[in-house]
Amino acid sequence: MLRYTVRRLIQLVVVVLVLSLLVFAWLRALPGGPVSALLGDRGTPESRAALSAQLGLDQPIFLQYFKFLGRALTGDFGNSTTVQPGDTVVEIFLQRFPATIELSLFAIVLAVLAGIPLGYLAARRRGGWFDNLSVGGSLVGVAVPVFFLAYLLKYIFATELQWLPSLGRQGDIEATRVTGFFVLDGLLTQEWDAAWDAFLHLLLPAVALATIPFAVIFRITRAAVLDVVNEDYVRTAESKGLLGSVIRRRHVLRNAMLPVVTTIGLQVGALLAGAVLTEKVFAFQGVGEALALGFERRDYPVLQMFIMVAAVIYVLVNLLVDLSYALIDPRIRAR
Amino acid sequence: MVTPTGKKERIDALAESTAKGDSGVSLAASAWKRLRRSPVFLVGLVIIGLFLVTAAIAPFIAPHDPAARDLIDQVVKARNEIPPAQPGHPLGGDLVGRDFLSRLLVGSQQTLLVGVFATLIGLAGGLILGTLAGAFGGIVDSIVMRVVDVMLSIPQLLLAFGIGALFAKPNLFTVILAVSIVQIPVFARLLRGSMLAQRGSDHVLAATALGVKPGPIVFRHMLPNSLGPVIVQSTLVLATSIIDAAALSFLGLGNPDDTVPEWGQMLGNAQTVIDSHPHLAFWPAGCIIVIALGFTLVGESLRDALDPKNRR
C-alpha cells in the first residue's frame, strides 16, 4: 500500500509540473498579453518596454517559466488586473473558495443521496415503470445545459413563485464570520436566522449543479447493481439460503459501490466547471464566478491560477479515489 | 473481472470489452438485430431525422429573413421593448427586431454544423493519436499516452473554456476548435485500448503468420475492428459539443457574429433579458436539449447493443 501511494504521489508531481508548463505556455500564447491588458491601447512604446521589463517579460522564455514556477511554489501568483484590480490572485481565491466548496459539497451530497438509492431501486425493478421513467429522466438531465437549468430554476422558484432568493450568498442579515462557510458559520455562532438564510441561498444553485452528477451517479449505480446481481457469488449466497437482506447488504451493495465511488470522484472534478456556470447565474460569489469574470474581462493572472488550482484539485481527488479504492479492493494494489 | 478504477481505466475497459467480440462481423450483426427492436434507438433516430430535415428545408420554410431587422421600427418606438408575438411573427422578435421563429429554424443549420465538425475534428485527432499509440506500442505509445493523460487530468469543460479564451476574436471556427480539442484524448484512449486488445487476437496473428505486412495489418485488420467504441463515443460527443458550445457563448467566448443564427449563441444572448423575456432563452434551449437528447439516445443504445455482455 505504501509503495502504491508513493508511486501515485510521484505521478501526481509529474502531472502537476507538466500542467504548470501548459498553463504557462497557454498564458504566453494568449492574444495581447499582460502588457496590453494593463495599458490597453494607450501605452507608448517606451512605457510598454518599461512595463515589460518590470514584469520580466523581456527575459528568455525558459527563465520566465522557472521564475513563475519558483514564485508559484511560494504561493505568489501575481495580482488581478480586471476582476478585482490590485488584489492578489491568492487573496481573491481564499476569499471565494469557501463559497464554492460549500456549494459543491452540498450539490454532491444531494446527488449522492438521490442517485444511489434511486439507482438501486431502478436496478431492483429493472424494466418496470419506475426504472424506465428514471432512466429516461437521467438521459434528459444530461442533455440540459447546466446554466439553462440554473436560469429555469431561478425563474420558477425565485422570479415567479418568489419562494427562494435568486442572487448572492446571503440576504440583509448581519452575520458573524468564522470559517467563511456561511451555513456552518450560522450554526457555530448559533445565529439560526443567518444559517437558514444562507441555506436558502444555497438551495437553487446546488440543485442546478447537482443535476448532472445525480444523473451520472444514478446510472452507474443502476448498472453496477445489475452487474453484481448476476455474479456467481450472489448466486452462491442465494443457494446457501442466506437472507435476502443480508445478500443485498453484504454482497450486492458493497461490491456495487466500487465503481460508484470512482464516479463520485470524477464528478467532483466536473463540478468545478459546472460551478463556473451556476455561480455566474446566481451571482454566487465563489471561485467559479471569478473565473467566469476572468474569461469575460481577460484577467490572465486570475485565469492562470484558478485553472491551475482546479486541475490540481481534480488530480488530487482522483488520487484519493484511487487510494480509497485500493483500500477496498486489494487486487488493485498488486498491479 | 477487476473493476476499473479511474477515468482512464474506465475508457480502456470500455474499449476492450467492445473489441473482444469473436469477430467484428457477427458482433455488428447481432448488435443491429438488437438495435432494430430498441425503442430508445428508434426514438433517437426519429429526433435526429426531424432535425436534419428541418435544417435542410429551414431556408424555405422560414417566414422571414433571419438577419433582417423587420421589427426594428417597433423597437425604436418602444425603447428597450422586445417585439412581442404578432401576425406574421408567431414568436415575436429578438433583441434587435429580427423574426425569432425564422432564426430558430435557420439556427438548426449552424448548430448541427458545430456538433458535426467538432466531432469530426475530435475524431480525426483521436484516430491519429490512437492509431499511433496502438499500432507502434512501446515508446510511441508511452509518449502519446502521457500527453493524453495530462489532457484527461483537466475537467473537459474547463479545458474548453481555457482554449476558448485563447482567441482574442472568437468566431465559429474557434468555438468548434475549443469544444473539439477536449474530445481528442478520449477518442485516442478508446482507439488505443481496442487496438491493443486486437493485437493478440486470432485474425491478427493469422495475418501476421501469413506474412501480411505491418501496414495492411494495422489499417485493414486492426483499425476497422477497433472502431466500435469510437463510433459510440462520436454520437455522444455530438450531443456534448453542442451543449458545450452553448456554455462558451454563455461565458462570452462564443462567436460574436450573429448574422447567421445558432442556438447556443441565441441562448447566450438571451441571458441579459431572461427574467423579463424567458421565451428568448426557452426556445433555443429547448431545441438544444431535444437534439442533444436525440444523439444521446442513439449513442447509449449503440453502446448497449455493442456490449458483448448483452449478447445473445
Side-chain angles (χ1 to χ4, degrees):
Chain A
M1 190 66 198
L2 185 69
R3 269 188 60 190
Y4 178 76
T5 315
V6 171
R7 208 173 65 212
R8 287 301 312 265
L9 278 175
I10 294 173
Q11 280 180 13
L12 176 84
V13 173
V14 173
V15 169
V16 170
L17 274 178
V18 175
L19 266 179
S20 73
L21 186 61
L22 280 181
V23 173
F24 183 80
W26 173 74
L27 188 79
R28 304 297 122 165
L30 283 169
V35 174
S36 310
L38 285 171
L39 288 180
D41 299 330
R42 290 160 301 173
T44 60
E46 291 78 36
S47 66
R48 283 175 173 273
L51 187 60
S52 198
Q54 190 194 329
L55 294 173
L57 296 174
D58 51 345
Q59 291 164 338
I61 188 89
F62 277 103
L63 200 62
Q64 283 188 45
Y65 172 67
F66 286 116
K67 282 194 168 169
F68 156 77
L69 199 63
R71 278 204 304 272
L73 286 177
T74 64
D76 175 11
F77 284 85
N79 293 0
S80 160
T81 52
T82 45
V83 170
Q84 291 178 26
D87 290 0
T88 69
V89 178
V90 176
E91 271 168 23
I92 299 174
F93 183 82
L94 290 179
Q95 169 200 332
R96 286 166 172 265
F97 196 49
T100 302
I101 292 288
E102 197 174 35
L103 177 62
S104 309
L105 261 182
F106 194 42
I108 202 78
V109 167
L110 279 181
V112 169
L113 283 185
I116 292 181
L118 287 182
Y120 181 76
L121 271 181
R124 301 283 312 175
R125 294 169 196 176
R126 182 183 195 179
W129 64 267
F130 177 76
D131 185 30
N132 288 330
L133 195 73
S134 47
V135 168
S138 74
L139 285 174
V140 176
V142 178
V144 180
V146 179
F147 64 95
F148 175 70
L149 184 74
Y151 271 128
L152 199 67
L153 288 172
K154 188 169 124 181
Y155 182 75
I156 296 173
F157 293 103
T159 312
E160 287 298 308
L161 296 172
Q162 305 208 330
W163 288 352
L164 290 165
S166 63
L167 295 175
R169 295 182 67 193
Q170 61 173 345
D172 302 328
I173 290 178
E174 282 291 320
T176 324
R177 291 287 156 246
V178 189
T179 59
F181 301 98
F182 284 13
V183 176
L184 186 65
D185 282 354
L187 296 177
L188 285 176
T189 56
Q190 302 192 332
E191 294 167 19
W192 311 118
D193 286 359
W196 180 244
D197 175 64
F199 174 75
L200 291 181
H201 278 84
L202 201 55
L203 215 48
L204 286 181
V207 170
L209 193 55
T211 314
I212 288 183
F214 159 71
V216 176
I217 290 171
F218 164 81
R219 291 174 56 80
I220 297 283
T221 306
R222 179 179 174 276
V225 170
L226 285 178
D227 248 15
V228 174
V229 167
N230 292 325
E231 289 281 343
D232 289 340
Y233 54 80
V234 174
R235 216 164 303 144
T236 311
E238 273 165 0
S239 59
K240 276 197 303 189
L242 281 183
L243 275 178
S245 64
V246 176
I247 297 176
R248 278 198 290 275
R249 212 177 23 223
R250 201 178 296 161
H251 296 284
V252 176
L253 258 183
R254 182 176 170 149
N255 285 297
M257 278 308 105
L258 293 174
V260 177
V261 171
T262 314
T263 307
I264 294 172
L266 292 173
Q267 287 304 310
V268 169
L271 272 186
L272 291 165
V276 174
L277 305 167
T278 321
E279 287 181 7
K280 190 177 178 222
V281 172
F282 290 100
F284 200 84
Q285 281 140 7
V287 172
E289 197 209 26
L291 250 181
L293 281 174
F295 281 125
E296 220 164 89
R297 302 179 189 170
R298 300 299 160 101
D299 191 327
Y300 299 143
V302 164
L303 293 178
Q304 186 181 8
M305 179 196 165
F306 283 27
I307 290 182
M308 182 93 198
V309 173
V312 170
I313 292 175
Y314 189 58
V315 174
L316 266 179
V317 169
N318 274 333
L319 175 67
L320 285 181
V321 168
D322 284 0
L323 288 182
S324 68
Y325 222 88
L327 271 180
I328 307 175
D329 188 344
R331 283 173 302 184
I332 289 161
R333 270 174 262 164
R335 281 193 292 158
Chain B
M1 183 194 86
V2 176
T3 339
T5 52
K7 188 200 242 166
K8 290 177 293 218
E9 286 79 359
R10 272 204 317 190
I11 296 174
D12 288 346
L14 183 68
E16 251 176 66
S17 71
T18 320
K20 254 188 218 150
D22 303 338
S23 75
V25 181
S26 67
L27 180 63
S30 81
W32 175 237
K33 236 184 199 166
R34 257 172 296 137
L35 272 182
R36 267 186 325 195
R37 284 192 305 248
S38 158
V40 176
F41 180 71
L42 293 178
V43 170
L45 268 195
V46 168
I47 293 177
I48 295 174
L50 282 177
F51 275 87
L52 282 179
V53 171
T54 310
I57 61 170
F60 308 108
I61 57 170
H64 300 273
D65 177 356
R69 301 182 170 192
D70 291 346
L71 300 158
I72 193 79
D73 289 343
Q74 207 179 349
V75 179
V76 177
K77 252 186 264 168
R79 288 221 165 270
N80 295 326
E81 240 339 285
I82 286 154
Q86 54 197 278
H89 303 276
L91 292 180
D94 74 352
L95 289 160
V96 289
R98 297 172 293 203
D99 180 58
F100 199 66
L101 177 63
S102 302
R103 292 186 71 73
L104 208 57
L105 284 168
V106 177
S108 59
Q109 294 184 328
Q110 278 219 35
T111 304
L112 282 172
L113 210 70
V114 169
V116 169
F117 273 93
T119 307
L120 285 180
I121 294 174
L123 187 61
L127 279 179
I128 294 170
L129 289 182
T131 310
L132 274 178
F136 287 101
I139 184 102
V140 180
D141 182 34
S142 297
I143 294 173
V144 171
M145 280 307 116
R146 289 302 81 75
V147 175
V148 165
D149 285 351
V150 170
M151 284 179 80
L152 281 176
S153 75
I154 308 170
Q156 271 195 359
L157 195 54
L158 216 54
L159 185 60
F161 295 159
I163 297 169
L166 266 177
F167 306 104
K169 293 195 180 92
N171 54 46
L172 190 67
F173 180 69
T174 67
V175 172
I176 292 175
L177 213 57
V179 295
S180 63
I181 288 178
V182 301
Q183 309 294 349
I184 292 178
V186 182
F187 278 123
R189 222 181 154 100
L190 270 175
L191 194 69
R192 167 192 178 262
S194 56
M195 280 187 81
L196 287 185
Q198 294 274 324
R199 274 194 152 178
S201 71
D202 291 345
H203 69 276
V204 171
L205 289 179
T208 318
L210 287 172
V212 180
K213 290 200 179 69
I217 286 187
V218 168
F219 288 105
R220 204 167 307 149
H221 295 279
M222 286 165 73
L223 195 56
N225 285 315
S226 311
L227 289 180
V230 177
I231 293 168
V232 173
Q233 186 65 20
S234 301
T235 55
L236 297 173
V237 167
L238 261 162
T240 50
S241 55
I242 289 175
I243 299 173
D244 289 358
L248 282 179
S249 286
F250 172 76
L251 287 181
L253 302 171
N255 178 18
D257 175 18
D258 66 351
T259 44
V260 184
E262 189 262 311
W263 292 335
Q265 186 185 46
M266 290 168 76
L267 181 52
N269 289 345
Q271 62 181 297
T272 49
V273 293
I274 199 161
D275 285 332
S276 52
H277 297 82
H279 74 282
L280 289 186
F282 181 80
W283 285 107
C287 292
I288 289 174
I289 293 168
V290 176
I291 186 69
L293 186 63
F295 284 117
T296 309
L297 290 178
V298 167
E300 296 277 347
S301 47
L302 268 179
R303 177 187 292 173
D304 283 349
L306 284 171
D307 190 345
K309 259 189 302 182
N310 300 336
R311 274 187 94 177
R312 256 177 298 277

